[in-house]
Amino acid sequence: MSTLTKIKHRGKRHRLDRPELLAPAGNLEKLKFAVHYGADAVYIGGQHYGLRSNADNFSLEEMKEGVRFAEKYGAKVFVATNIYAHNEDLAGIEDYLKGLEEAGIAAIIAADPIIVDTAMRVAPKLEVHLSTQQSILNWQAVQFWKEEGLPRVVLARETSLEEIAEIKSNVDIEIEAFIHGAMCSSYSGRCVLSNHFTDRDSNRGGCSQSCRWKYDLFVDQDMVNAEDEHKFTMGSKDLCMIEHLPELIEVGVDSFKIEGRMKSVHYVATVVNAYRQAIDAYFDNPEGYELKQEWIDEINKSANRPLNTGFFFQTPGAGEHIYEPEEKAAPFDFAGVVLEYDHASGMALVQQRNHFKPGQEVEFFGPGGTFFKQIVGEITDEARTVLDAARHPMQTIRMKVDYPLKPMDMMRKKVR
């Protein structure tokens, strides 16, 4: 019996009407693009209490603007408050949580029990979702947190599809699972490499990604393969489950989470767009659903490492880690954002994000499958001066395009 067939015969389960597509947003621009390209919800970090201290992160005013934008699309905003707090970290936590509630934030993602308890006490309109940092892998732990009043648990990345099925058959609760993005070399939430090597606390927002460094191997002071400097990393391949959405849906995962608050706006838009199309296609016709190669191709155009299915089907072995220099399958650079399109002239106003020039092939894409390639023709600046290249970041460029576009459509170029 296949995994999918086994899952269909499980007991009753609580679930949303259809899975929520939950996207990362490291800043306000990324939030807007994630929502515009199809995210049902986004998770962000504030300037305190989160695990991505190197992201741009959001002020309270930016959160309010993000919530207003998301509401126009019927989307929600969650805030990560997922540090493990030391005594000094807790100063001001009550006021911070009250501020999130007042800003219209739908939920926080928390790991430390004191932050969970404080939020439920001082900001009752905020849902509290249990962070993956708690490394939850079994239904009895999920049941414990349900009894504490939490409506959702974000499972550890190490949870298998069969384990999710068992959790859903035993506990009536929303389950959120990572379905795309970077994996941790340690058990989720239990890494101290960064602390040891750099004195930057992984669980207080300072992870230096030590597992991605290049290492040499020594035996009794002698370097193994001395001619190969910096032989290997300890980093894992990235997770990608777009080829297995039916299994994830049937097992009862309520929220499909994409990792990457530090990733680019191009990455966020591209990955969200592909998953959005795949999810919608499944629910439009579950029996006739077919995976489209174009969705996989799109994901491979975003900046990611080699891909695998993580722990969903089996425990990853040596082949699921990265030892050699990483090489993207089809690397593309984000080249521009469409600001305006004039139907009468076929001219687009594009905000440049990376160097491009006439004679170069580019791709345009947008939400829902908008896509075409073309060769760049004459380009001008806003003063209508003809340019031999778009060299300056954020410069506004006018160019003729082959097909209609909309604001927030994107342009990219192949780098090789």
Side-chain angles (χ1 to χ4, degrees):
M1 185 181 291
S2 70
T3 299
L4 184 54
T5 303
K6 291 177 184 176
I7 289 165
K8 286 181 177 178
H9 287 83
R10 296 288 184 174
K12 68 175 183 176
R13 58 181 183 268
H14 171 94
R15 64 169 306 138
L16 303 178
D17 290 337
R18 64 169 62 194
E20 169 188 271
L21 182 57
L22 177 57
N27 59 33
L28 187 57
E29 181 186 45
K30 294 174 187 178
L31 180 152
K32 292 180 178 180
F33 275 89
V35 171
H36 182 71
Y37 276 73
D40 299 304
V42 294
Y43 64 101
I44 67 176
Q47 295 176 346
H48 307 281
Y49 312 111
L51 287 185
R52 290 292 181 268
S53 59
N54 291 326
D56 291 344
N57 291 323
F58 286 67
S59 67
L60 199 58
E61 288 304 311
E62 288 174 324
M63 289 184 190
K64 292 177 181 178
E65 183 178 345
V67 168
R68 288 193 296 269
F69 183 90
E71 285 177 344
K72 295 177 183 177
Y73 290 78
K76 298 179 180 180
V77 180
F78 306 153
V79 173
T81 57
N82 51 348
I83 65 166
Y84 282 108
H86 291 234
N87 290 321
E88 64 268 23
D89 294 325
L90 292 171
I93 185 67
E94 290 191 6
D95 289 340
Y96 180 73
L97 293 170
K98 290 176 182 177
L100 297 184
E101 183 183 57
E102 292 169 2
I105 298 301
I108 62 166
I109 305 167
D112 195 310
I114 192 59
I115 295 179
V116 172
D117 181 72
T118 302
M120 297 175 74
R121 177 169 51 83
V122 306
K125 293 180 182 178
L126 276 180
E127 283 193 1
V128 180
H129 299 170
L130 191 71
S131 171
T132 190
Q133 298 302 114
Q134 272 283 351
S135 301
I136 298 296
L137 292 147
N138 64 82
W139 72 262
Q140 293 183 68
V142 173
Q143 181 67 33
F144 170 85
W145 285 105
K146 182 191 174 183
E147 292 172 0
E148 290 297 307
L150 274 64
R152 179 183 296 190
V153 168
V154 187
L155 295 177
R157 288 174 173 86
E158 296 78 20
T159 316
S160 71
L161 206 64
E162 282 292 316
E163 288 170 326
I164 295 173
E166 186 170 358
I167 290 168
K168 291 295 292 188
S169 66
N170 280 283
V171 188
D172 182 25
I173 195 171
E174 289 179 10
I175 290 298
E176 181 176 308
F178 282 94
I179 54 105
H180 194 92
M183 298 287 282
C184 187
S185 291
S186 299
Y187 242 63
S188 295
R190 300 182 186 180
C191 178
V192 294
L193 286 176
S194 179
N195 306 53
H196 179 72
F197 288 138
T198 68
D199 199 27
R200 287 170 51 182
D201 193 336
S202 302
N203 291 310
R204 296 169 82 190
C207 180
S208 61
Q209 296 199 351
S210 306
C211 58
R212 303 291 180 187
W213 296 357
K214 295 178 181 178
Y215 291 89
D216 299 314
L217 180 63
F218 288 83
V219 176
D220 295 331
Q221 306 300 315
D222 294 324
M223 185 186 297
V224 178
N225 295 325
E227 68 277 7
D228 296 329
E229 186 179 6
H230 305 313
K231 178 63 178 174
F232 66 95
T233 74
M234 292 185 288
S236 67
K237 295 179 179 179
D238 279 4
L239 176 65
C240 177
M241 288 293 287
I242 197 164
E243 297 183 44
H244 301 281
L245 288 184
E247 289 99 318
L248 292 167
I249 292 166
E250 292 297 333
V251 80
V253 176
D254 297 279
S255 181
F256 292 171
K257 189 169 192 172
I258 298 168
E259 182 275 339
R261 278 194 285 143
M262 299 290 288
K263 295 292 182 67
S264 70
V265 66
H266 173 255
Y267 175 93
V268 171
T270 301
V271 174
V272 168
N273 198 21
Y275 278 98
R276 177 78 278 152
Q277 291 177 69
I279 293 168
D280 289 349
Y282 177 87
F283 280 92
D284 286 345
N285 184 10
E287 298 303 321
Y289 172 81
E290 292 184 3
L291 176 73
K292 292 185 178 180
Q293 183 62 40
E294 65 194 59
W295 301 332
I296 299 172
D297 293 342
E298 282 296 293
I299 282 177
N300 285 329
K301 290 174 183 177
S302 62
N304 44 230
R305 305 176 181 95
L307 303 172
N308 67 13
T309 57
F311 288 79
F312 279 104
F313 300 107
Q314 61 187 12
T315 300
E320 306 310 314
H321 287 73
I322 299 170
Y323 303 101
E324 304 297 335
E326 300 170 21
E327 184 173 336
K328 292 187 288 184
F332 280 74
D333 277 342
F334 175 31
V337 175
V338 176
L339 302 178
E340 298 175 6
Y341 173 76
D342 181 71
H343 285 269
S345 65
M347 298 292 290
L349 192 65
V350 176
Q351 185 183 73
Q352 189 260 29
R353 296 299 181 92
N354 216 313
H355 180 282
F356 67 92
K357 61 185 179 180
Q360 189 169 25
E361 184 179 73
V362 296
E363 296 181 356
F364 285 96
F365 70 99
T370 297
F371 178 84
F372 63 89
K373 299 178 181 181
Q374 75 166 67
I375 302 298
V376 177
E378 181 179 272
I379 61 175
T380 68
D381 61 17
E382 284 194 278
R384 314 286 178 161
T385 302
V386 176
L387 305 173
D388 64 348
R391 293 187 174 85
H392 307 296
M394 308 300 283
Q395 182 180 19
T396 303
I397 301 294
R398 292 185 182 277
M399 60 184 292
K400 191 172 181 61
V401 293
D402 293 348
Y403 299 96
L405 292 168
K406 295 178 181 178
M408 297 183 76
D409 286 351
M410 289 187 171
M411 182 176 78
R412 62 187 169 213
K413 62 172 186 175
K414 199 167 184 179
V415 297
R416 68 175 185 189

